[in-house]
């Protein structure tokens, strides 16, 4: 048996255990000795304990927790270092907030700076790690809730409460400041500790369900717009059943961040909101936080029903839904109840008429997509990004892969031409660019033997902590296929410049600032020190071979990095 010393570090691990945390993601800092000691004691004594992963960058730690949480839908635990580590990881924490991933993010302060009783925390806290007011106010703007556990006597319940709060709608990261002195202080094992149970489920009252069902029963052209219905367990299936059984067209706008319905569903008609907004008579905004742009754009004649457990997202600065009715229950249950009520009220002939219309619209979208693909595949001198996407779709279908996307100008192509057919088949990285490799690795950690494809532009790839991320892929045995859509420029920067100054000096002199990435190194070579498969390809004739080799490498247990020169 190891030395028995029960302190705040043990309380922290005990709280994580009771929250159901199975992985602790850490970007190391000197405050975590109590947590490390608690984990080492448990491991030495054969006590079941969460898996601990050391990661060499804060974005990687939070990003992997985000990817893992996207798939498992469980609360995650992240350890960062003091104020600097928290600030370095802040973009990824904000990304987790936007993605709706529940996690407890922690870092530390000192409360005595070496002048108090007990163990000496070290001079680094006094000299350069602390911040006026403490770390928790720093995290407040980009976390769901932020607080400090100022006493070892409240530490355990504080952390458990934080985890429960993270798991409630709107799910997201909470931050806890855990002072080092609190972690080092002797403690008593909590009495009456128990595992945290899943959150309760609720459905809108029958009268509200009936009112929306009556509306659908008389609708000639109802439409569903959704961004994140698939984030809820069972949401993909419930939305599909509602749409297909009632003949309601589904649009996933370009702001979609996860798989919500199969691209081959006869109810799916594409991503063009503008095409339908003025023709629909009923619009169901199902987990659609920002369905229109500009926000003031509203339907010409449709009644708008918002279906969302938390429709007004407190972290969204400006949100316009123009709702006429709300259903605010847990999503799968609410959609199932609405489907049953609407089927009872809607004439079968009307449903058949709507189903026929959605099928026609779906087939028109499919035909247009196939024409774009045929044109791109016919190009033989360069690699069109649509052609690359089609090749990647073939891999996704064969391997039943999960796609994690961090492209910008190619994002619409990835969604349309790679697509998805199943729940959790696609995730778009939220927040600032530079987190995607880590998110993809977290997804891979969760899907285990599943295949993960990460798509990214060269500009976004260069924003990532590449070396630390590839190191994490090797250390955690999470191989993924990384494909870079490389046009050697920040094309989105150029497009936005042209939007504002279409005939400006930049155009007249061909001097586009903030765009050029032509001096970049061979990006795939970053994989070489880690003995990973890597290749550069600019010849369409070589693309199939290189992709096949990369897939074989990933299936053999190593990450593959492909740098693909695309024509635009």
């Amino acid at each position: 048996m190891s030395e028995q010393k029960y302190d705040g570090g043990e309380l922290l691990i005990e709280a994580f255990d009771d929250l159901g945390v199975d992985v602790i993601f850490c970007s190391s800092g000197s405050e975590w000795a109590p947590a490390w000691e608690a984990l080492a004691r448990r491991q030495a004594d054969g006590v079941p304990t969460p898996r601990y992963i050391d990661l060499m960058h804060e974005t990687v730690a939070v990003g992997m927790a985000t990817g893992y949480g996207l798939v498992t839908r469980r609360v995650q635990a992240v350890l960062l270092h003091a104020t600097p580590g928290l600030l370095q990881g802040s973009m990824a924490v904000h990304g987790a907030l936007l993605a709706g991933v529940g996690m407890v993010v922690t870092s530390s302060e000192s409360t005595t700076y070496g002048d108090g009783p007990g163990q000496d925390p070290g001079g680094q806290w006094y000299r350069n790690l602390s911040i006026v007011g403490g770390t928790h106010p720093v995290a407040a703007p980009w976390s769901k809730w932020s607080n400090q556990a100022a006493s070892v006597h409240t530490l355990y319940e504080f952390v458990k409460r934080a985890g429960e709060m993270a798991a409630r709608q709107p799910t997201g990261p909470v931050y806890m400041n855990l002072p080092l002195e609190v972690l080092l202080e002797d403690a008593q094992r909590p009495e009456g500790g128990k595992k945290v149970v899943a959150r309760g489920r609720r459905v809108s009252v029958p009268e509200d369900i009936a009112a929306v069902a009556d509306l659908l029963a008389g609708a000639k052209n109802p439409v569903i717009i959704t961004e994140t219905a698939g984030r809820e367990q069972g949401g993909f299936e419930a939305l599909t059943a509602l749409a297909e059984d009632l003949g309601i067209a589904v649009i996933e706008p370009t702001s979609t961040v996860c798989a919500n319905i199969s691209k081959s569903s006869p109810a799916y008609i594409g991503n063009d909101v503008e095409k339908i907004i003025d023709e629909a008579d009923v619009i169901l905004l199902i987990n659609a936080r920002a369905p229109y742009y500009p926000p003031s754009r509203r339907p010409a004649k449709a009644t708008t029903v918002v279906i969302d457990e938390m429709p007004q997202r407190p972290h969204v600065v400006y949100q316009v839904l123009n709702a006429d009715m709300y259903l605010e229950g847990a999503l799968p249950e609410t959609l199932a109840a609405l489907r049953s009520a609407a089927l009872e009220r809607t004439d079968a002939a009307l449903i058949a008429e709507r189903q026929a219309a959605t099928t026609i619209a779906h087939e028109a979208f499919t035909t247009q997509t196939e024409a774009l693909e045929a044109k791109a595949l016919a190009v033989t001198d360069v690699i069109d990004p649509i052609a690359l996407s089609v090749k990647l779709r073939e891999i996704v279908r064969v391997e039943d892969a999960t796609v994690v996307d961090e492209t910008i100008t190619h994002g619409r192509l990835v969604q349309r031409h790679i697509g998805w057919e199943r729940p959790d088949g696609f995730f778009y990285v939220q927040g600032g660019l530079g987190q995607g490799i880590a998110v993809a690795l977290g997804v891979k950690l969760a899907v285990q033997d599943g295949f993960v494809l990460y798509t990214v532009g060269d500009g976004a790839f260069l924003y990532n902590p590449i070396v630390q991320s590839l190191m994490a892929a090797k250390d955690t045995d999470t191989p993924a296929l990384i494909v870079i859509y490389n046009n050697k420029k920040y094309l989105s920067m150029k497009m936005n410049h042209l939007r504002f100054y279409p005939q400006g000096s930049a155009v007249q002199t061909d001097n586009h600032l903030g765009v050029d990435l032509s001096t970049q190194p061979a990006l795939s070579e970053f994989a070489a020190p880690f003995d990973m498969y890597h290749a550069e390809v600019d010849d369409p004739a070589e693309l199939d071979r290189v992709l096949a080799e990369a897939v074989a490498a990933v299936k053999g247990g190593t990450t593959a990095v492909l740098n693909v020169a695309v024509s635009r």
Side-chain angles (χ1 to χ4, degrees):
M1 296 290 288
S2 58
E3 176 190 1
Q4 295 302 302
K5 179 183 180 301
Y6 203 93
D7 58 16
E10 283 278 4
L11 286 176
L12 175 63
I13 303 305
E14 187 114 19
F16 284 158
D17 219 9
D18 288 347
L19 284 168
V21 167
D22 61 340
V23 180
I24 296 173
F25 300 89
C26 179
S27 179
S28 298
S30 54
E31 67 263 50
W32 297 120
W36 295 332
E37 182 64 16
L39 289 166
R41 279 196 297 266
R42 285 173 164 232
Q43 292 168 0
D45 295 342
V47 177
T49 191
R51 177 182 177 182
Y52 172 85
I53 299 179
D54 257 326
L55 299 156
M56 297 300 105
H57 196 282
E58 291 81 0
T59 297
V60 180
V62 181
M64 284 191 70
T66 298
Y68 194 70
L70 284 170
V71 177
T72 65
R73 297 178 173 85
R74 293 196 297 270
V75 170
Q76 304 304 306
V78 180
L79 311 183
L80 302 179
H81 177 43
T83 305
L86 180 62
L87 290 172
Q88 184 79 298
S90 61
M91 181 181 70
V93 178
H94 182 246
L97 180 68
L98 296 178
V101 174
M103 63 176 68
V104 180
V105 180
T106 60
S107 72
S108 201
E109 264 285 306
S110 175
T111 54
T112 66
Y113 306 101
D115 276 347
Q119 297 192 53
D120 178 8
Q124 70 272 24
W125 300 95
Y126 176 59
R127 295 187 180 100
N128 66 359
L129 288 182
S130 297
I131 190 168
V132 174
T135 55
H136 45 295
V138 174
W142 31 266
S143 62
K144 182 178 176 180
W145 180 78
S146 183
N147 214 328
Q148 176 185 35
S151 166
V152 74
H153 304 292
T154 59
L155 171 63
Y156 170 78
E157 291 295 347
F158 248 128
V159 174
K160 285 182 68 175
R161 180 186 178 220
E164 288 189 294
M165 195 177 304
R168 266 65 184 175
Q169 290 289 354
T171 52
V174 300
Y175 172 75
M176 286 299 305
N177 175 2
L178 307 178
L180 177 55
E181 289 85 347
V182 172
L183 293 170
L184 288 166
E185 190 172 343
D186 290 343
Q188 297 294 318
R189 187 178 299 274
E191 295 184 8
K194 59 182 292 187
K195 298 291 184 183
V196 172
V197 300
R199 72 174 192 257
R201 311 290 286 178
R202 58 195 175 105
V203 179
S204 294
V205 295
E207 305 91 270
D208 290 350
I209 296 282
V212 178
D214 287 337
L215 190 64
L216 289 175
K220 298 291 186 182
N221 190 21
V223 175
I224 290 169
I225 300 174
T226 183
E227 293 173 317
T228 63
R231 279 291 293 118
E232 294 296 308
Q233 186 73 49
F236 185 103
E237 296 86 351
L239 183 139
T240 300
L242 175 72
E244 292 184 357
D245 292 352
L246 286 163
I248 306 176
V250 177
I251 284 188
E252 292 175 307
T254 54
S255 53
T256 293
V257 298
C258 66
N260 301 296
I261 190 170
S262 168
K263 295 291 188 182
S264 61
S265 168
Y268 175 75
I269 64 169
N271 59 15
D272 191 351
V273 173
E274 196 63 30
K275 186 177 180 179
I276 58 87
I277 188 172
D278 291 329
E279 299 302 319
D281 53 2
V282 174
I283 293 179
L284 304 182
L285 299 181
I286 301 179
N287 277 26
R289 59 188 174 174
Y292 313 122
Y293 190 83
S296 56
R297 174 70 164 104
R298 64 180 64 193
K301 60 184 179 182
T303 300
T304 298
V305 181
V306 173
I307 304 177
D308 195 321
E309 190 168 357
M310 185 66 67
Q312 296 295 339
R313 308 292 170 91
H315 60 268
V316 177
V317 177
Y318 182 62
Q319 188 179 22
V320 180
L321 298 175
N322 286 312
D324 296 299
M325 304 172 72
Y326 284 101
L327 295 180
E328 298 184 41
L331 191 72
E333 292 85 346
T334 299
L335 295 186
L338 177 60
R339 172 185 167 276
S340 295
L343 282 173
E344 291 175 359
R345 291 165 167 77
T346 310
D347 182 75
L350 177 58
I351 291 177
E353 181 182 328
R354 295 193 313 215
Q355 289 171 331
T358 58
T359 299
I360 291 170
H362 170 74
E363 291 174 349
F365 177 78
T366 301
T367 298
Q368 184 187 53
T369 300
E370 290 172 348
L372 292 169
E373 293 173 356
K375 181 179 178 181
L377 290 166
V379 177
T380 58
D381 57 336
V382 292
I383 299 174
D384 188 284
I386 293 179
L388 174 59
S389 300
V390 172
K391 300 291 186 181
L392 294 176
R393 184 180 68 216
E394 294 169 0
I395 294 171
V396 168
R397 290 182 176 177
V398 170
E399 303 299 335
D400 192 26
T402 301
V403 179
V404 177
D405 182 40
E406 198 181 19
T407 60
I408 299 296
T409 53
H410 296 115
R412 295 183 183 186
L413 304 185
V414 169
Q415 289 189 20
R416 184 167 190 170
H417 300 285
I418 299 180
W420 50 84
E421 298 295 327
R422 62 169 174 82
D424 294 342
F426 171 85
F427 299 104
Y428 186 77
V429 178
Q430 295 290 279
L433 297 173
Q435 312 169 56
I437 306 177
V439 173
L441 297 181
V443 169
K444 174 60 179 175
L445 190 70
V447 301
Q448 299 180 11
D449 293 336
F451 195 99
V452 174
L453 166 66
Y454 165 59
T455 51
V456 62
D458 54 318
F461 184 76
L462 286 165
Y463 280 136
N464 276 262
I466 300 169
V467 172
Q468 298 93 328
S469 297
L470 295 180
M471 182 177 175
K474 187 164 188 177
D475 289 348
T476 60
D477 191 24
T478 50
L481 173 56
I482 298 173
V483 178
I484 304 166
Y485 286 63
N486 195 328
N487 54 18
K488 293 200 173 181
K489 61 173 70 78
Y490 282 125
L491 184 56
S492 64
M493 312 293 191
K494 183 176 181 179
M495 291 169 64
N496 278 285
H497 189 146
L498 293 176
R499 177 190 303 175
F500 304 128
Y501 304 98
Q503 298 299 325
S505 293
V507 172
Q508 300 300 322
T509 61
D510 194 25
N511 181 24
H512 297 280
L513 305 178
V515 173
D516 182 35
L517 291 175
S518 61
T519 61
Q520 65 182 252
L523 299 184
S524 61
E525 292 294 331
F526 281 102
F530 301 99
D531 297 321
M532 296 171 174
Y533 180 89
H534 55 284
E536 311 271 326
V537 59
D538 59 6
D539 183 354
E542 291 293 306
L543 187 56
D544 285 341
R545 176 188 62 80
V546 172
L547 285 171
E549 291 175 356
V551 169
V554 174
K555 294 175 73 173
T558 183
T559 289
V561 181
L562 298 188
N563 188 19
V564 183
V566 293
S567 59
R568 54 192 171 96

